[in-house]
């Protein structure tokens, strides 16, 4: 096309047809649908991935629960002296073989090879008062934070002990200590000669703990001589232990200072006497020697 001066070149019009409002709305709806479909597909893929991840997790990561004698929590086992108790620990919800450990307080319990996997038992025989309050704990070997404990509550009557005889001088102090073991704790009291002890102020003092009952007697008198009875009363039975207090006469104390002073005076007197008569003593010694020499001639 040739153009010349004074002529305007016409612009080429866009012959593409314009979109209608209906067509724009449909396109928007399609895009939204595609986005929703993509999101849903993404969520489905995420869920499938998580499901596969859970299915193929290592077996060790599954949570296991321990039970002792069918109990899932720590508990207290009531028992008595001379009884025998069996504690069976088992693993619940395990998908693999689990090795178990037993502890008595802080020390490990020796287990046989066939008594360790998935379930394990310990036997506590000939239970005594020393087993009261002892804790037995079962743990997973691979994860010892997974554990369960049993505390022995040994019920037994009062057991009393102490020095049977005590001898003191009149005017001194005496202490009678009655040691006691009991579960449940016993009620304690002092008797004298099978009668309730009449406590005198500033003369008798009683102190009690969970393990002993102590009677302190200040400035012992002759009237304190006798048999004191330690009485322990529990729900099981009443126990008694006798303590014999013997009060002897106060020993006569000879003062040492005057005796020492007298000895010193006597010694000095003898020394001064010898010094004062030394000349006479020397003359007598010389005279004796001379007389012995003449006799020999």
């Amino acid at each position: 096309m040739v153009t010349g001066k004074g002529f305007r070149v016409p612009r080429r019009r866009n012959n593409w047809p314009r979109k209608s409002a209906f067509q724009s709305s449909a396109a928007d709806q399609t895009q939204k649908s595609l986005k929703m479909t993509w999101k849903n597909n993404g969520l489905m893929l995420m869920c499938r991935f998580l499901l596969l991840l859970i299915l193929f997790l290592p077996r060790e990561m599954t949570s296991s629960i321990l039970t002792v004698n069918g109990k899932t929590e720590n508990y207290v086992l009531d028992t008595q002296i001379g009884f025998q108790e069996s504690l069976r620990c088992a693993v619940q919800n395990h998908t693999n073989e689990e090795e178990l450990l037993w502890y008595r307080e802080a020390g490990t319990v020796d287990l046989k090879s066939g008594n360790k996997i998935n379930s394990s038992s310990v036997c506590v025989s000939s239970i005594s008062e020393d087993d009261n309050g002892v804790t037995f704990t079962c743990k997973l070997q691979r994860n010892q934070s997974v554990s369960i404990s049993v505390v022995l509550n040994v019920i037994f009557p009062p057991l009393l002990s102490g020095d049977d005889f005590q001898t003191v001088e009149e005017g001194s102090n005496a202490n009678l200590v009655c040691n006691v073991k009991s579960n449940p704790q016993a009620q304690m009291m002092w008797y004298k000669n099978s009668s309730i002890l009449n406590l005198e102020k500033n003369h008798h003092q009683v102190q009690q703990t969970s393990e002993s009952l102590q009677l302190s007697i200040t400035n012992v008198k002759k009237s304190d001589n006798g048999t004191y009875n330690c009485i322990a009363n529990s729900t099981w039975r009443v126990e008694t232990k006798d303590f014999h207090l013997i009060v002897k006469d106060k020993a006569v104390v000879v003062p040492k200072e005057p005796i020492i002073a007298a000895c010193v005076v006597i010694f000095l007197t003898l020394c001064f006497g010898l010094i004062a008569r030394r000349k006479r003593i020397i003359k007598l010694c010389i005279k004796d020697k001379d007389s012995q020499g003449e006799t020999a001639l």
Side-chain angles (χ1 to χ4, degrees):
M1 181 178 185
V2 180
T3 60
K5 190 175 180 181
F7 290 90
R8 183 178 295 175
V9 179
R11 294 182 181 179
R12 179 179 294 180
R13 293 182 179 180
N14 191 355
N15 297 324
W16 292 99
R18 295 184 178 180
K19 293 181 180 179
S20 64
F22 175 77
Q23 290 176 335
S24 298
S25 177
D28 294 340
Q29 291 294 332
T30 302
Q31 288 182 354
K32 289 181 180 179
S33 298
L34 290 174
K35 290 181 180 179
M36 290 297 294
T37 303
W38 183 84
K39 288 183 179 180
N40 290 335
N41 289 336
L43 289 175
M44 289 295 294
L45 290 173
M46 179 88 53
C47 291
R48 289 178 181 178
F49 174 76
L50 292 176
L51 181 60
L52 291 174
L53 183 63
I54 293 173
L55 290 176
F56 290 98
L57 277 175
R59 293 180 179 179
E60 289 77 6
M61 293 183 66
T62 58
S63 60
S64 298
I65 300 174
L66 296 182
T67 63
V68 172
N69 294 353
K71 294 182 171 56
T72 58
E73 296 182 354
N74 301 337
Y75 74 101
V76 177
L77 176 62
D78 293 334
T79 185
Q80 297 180 25
I81 289 179
F83 277 29
Q84 177 175 300
E85 299 291 346
S86 180
L87 306 176
R88 182 179 180 275
C89 180
V91 186
Q92 306 295 331
N93 300 338
H94 66 90
T95 57
N96 196 8
E97 290 187 345
E98 297 282 4
E99 183 175 348
L100 297 173
L101 303 174
W102 271 105
Y103 289 84
R104 177 189 171 105
E105 297 295 335
T108 57
V109 178
D110 293 332
L111 300 173
K112 295 182 179 179
S113 58
N115 188 27
K116 294 181 179 181
I117 306 301
N118 295 338
S119 67
S120 178
S121 299
V122 294
C123 183
V124 188
S125 59
S126 301
I127 292 176
S128 68
E129 66 275 6
D130 295 329
D131 295 318
N132 185 45
V134 172
T135 301
F136 286 86
T137 304
C138 178
K139 297 182 178 182
L140 280 182
Q141 192 275 337
R142 66 172 175 83
N143 183 7
Q144 297 191 21
S145 64
V146 179
S147 64
I148 184 171
S149 298
V150 180
V151 180
L152 297 184
N153 181 38
V154 184
I155 301 173
F156 56 94
L159 302 174
L160 305 180
S161 63
D163 295 333
D164 296 336
F165 291 90
Q166 188 172 155
T167 302
V168 296
E169 290 184 357
E170 186 178 5
S172 62
N173 299 329
N175 289 311
L176 305 178
V177 181
C178 179
N179 300 312
V180 58
K181 285 185 177 182
S182 179
N183 187 31
Q185 188 172 348
Q187 295 181 350
M188 308 289 294
M189 62 187 69
W190 281 107
Y191 278 57
K192 181 182 178 182
N193 299 327
S194 301
S195 299
I196 296 178
L197 177 63
N198 184 23
L199 299 177
E200 299 179 18
K201 188 176 181 181
N202 299 327
H203 186 60
H204 298 102
Q205 185 177 2
V206 176
Q207 294 179 340
Q208 182 176 359
T209 66
S210 60
E211 298 180 350
S212 67
L213 179 69
Q214 178 175 329
L215 174 63
S216 300
I217 305 176
T218 305
N219 193 17
V220 173
K221 300 177 292 186
K222 276 290 187 179
S223 59
D224 294 321
N225 192 83
T227 300
Y228 292 80
N229 320 110
C230 177
I231 310 295
N233 186 4
S234 75
T235 54
W236 280 70
R237 60 173 175 263
V238 178
E239 292 290 341
T240 303
K241 180 172 179 57
D242 294 336
F243 293 81
H244 305 281
L245 181 63
I246 301 172
V247 182
K248 62 181 182 180
D249 294 333
K250 190 174 183 179
V252 178
V253 180
V254 178
K256 297 180 181 179
E257 290 79 4
I259 295 176
I260 295 174
C263 292
V264 171
V265 171
I266 293 171
F267 176 75
L268 293 176
T269 302
L270 291 174
C271 291
F272 288 138
L274 291 174
I275 293 172
R277 298 187 179 186
R278 67 182 183 280
K279 293 182 179 180
R280 185 176 179 182
I281 293 172
I282 292 172
K283 289 180 179 180
L284 289 174
C285 291
I286 293 173
K287 187 176 181 181
D288 289 340
K289 287 182 179 180
D290 292 343
S291 61
Q292 289 178 1
E294 291 176 357
T295 302
L297 292 173

